[in-house]
Amino acid sequence: MIDLDIDMRQYDCPFIDTTDDVEIAFSAVQWQLDTDDEQLETRLIARGESMGALEDGLHTLRDHPNMRECYILSKRENVAEIGTTIEETNAMRTIQRNGGYITGPFHIEDGHERWHVGFDDDADEDHALAELERHNDYTVADRDQFGPTELFDLLENSDSALRLLEGCRSLTETERETFETAAREGYYETPRATTLEELSNHFDISKTAVSMNLRRSERKVLQAALSALENMDEMVTQTR
């Protein structure tokens, strides 16, 4: 299987047009493409920069000419879970017509959409990308090719990967920024390329505060990694 990570800008997509005009982002939770009725049903999480932006974004989305149905499932402050039905876009039609399929959730923000699309062979991929270029702007951000063994490992260990992802998401903004900066500046290299004092100067806080932020972030990531490894071991034991 060929798996593409595509940065897409469609010119007939209600979600992309809405994020062009309003500070709102959409992330897919569930989707169903009905090729007979030429429509896409989705469940999405909408997040506005503010409560006002969320309201403006949902209003703009409902008024889009390619939007058939848009309703709120739940809402809290600047975040809402919504259900929608939109007309099939040119890009959806092109992917489906050329043997492609969606392999992961999509995210829309600032007038662009991140797609995860799969193909079974190079010819289908080439035809789809050539046709997409006629009516859409896109960039292939990443391309992977998996054989049966790699696909089996990927699917078998998806729960372990999710545990690791949840651990990373549990980091606060401060913990994540401190952890990423320390790694980028060489704090974890041997010998170290930066020190706690240099990091404290960078963030304009005490060395103790930097150390505490690093320890908290390290503990969360390590616990998530250990949980993922334990889950992988359990899967191996079950398959024996």
Side-chain angles (χ1 to χ4, degrees), residues 28-87:
V29 176
Q30 176 271 335
W31 60 95
Q32 170 94 27
L33 179 61
D34 187 334
T35 55
D36 292 333
D37 288 339
E38 297 183 342
Q39 65 182 24
L40 175 72
E41 296 180 12
T42 56
R43 300 291 183 274
L44 304 103
I45 300 299
R47 181 186 296 273
E49 285 295 310
S50 64
M51 293 176 63
L54 176 65
E55 294 297 331
D56 289 345
L58 296 180
H59 179 76
T60 301
L61 190 64
R62 290 190 185 100
D63 288 345
H64 195 281
N66 286 355
M67 177 61 65
R68 294 186 179 179
E69 185 179 23
C70 178
Y71 52 92
I72 296 174
L73 296 168
S74 64
K75 184 170 63 172
R76 182 175 181 182
E77 297 180 347
N78 65 322
V79 180
E81 182 182 4
I82 64 173
T84 68
T85 303
I86 69 170
E87 293 184 8

Side-chain angles (χ1 to χ4, degrees), residues 8 25-28 45 105-109 112-116:
M8 177 81 71
F26 300 99
S27 293
I45 300 299
F106 51 86
H107 178 78
I108 312 106
E109 191 169 6
H112 289 265
E113 183 174 12
R114 186 55 64 100
W115 275 28
H116 302 278

Side-chain angles (χ1 to χ4, degrees), residues 99-127:
Y101 39 86
I102 303 299
T103 59
F106 51 86
H107 178 78
I108 312 106
E109 191 169 6
D110 296 329
H112 289 265
E113 183 174 12
R114 186 55 64 100
W115 275 28
H116 302 278
V117 180
F119 295 94
D120 291 328
D121 58 58
D122 293 335
D124 286 343
E125 175 194 7
D126 291 342
H127 291 154

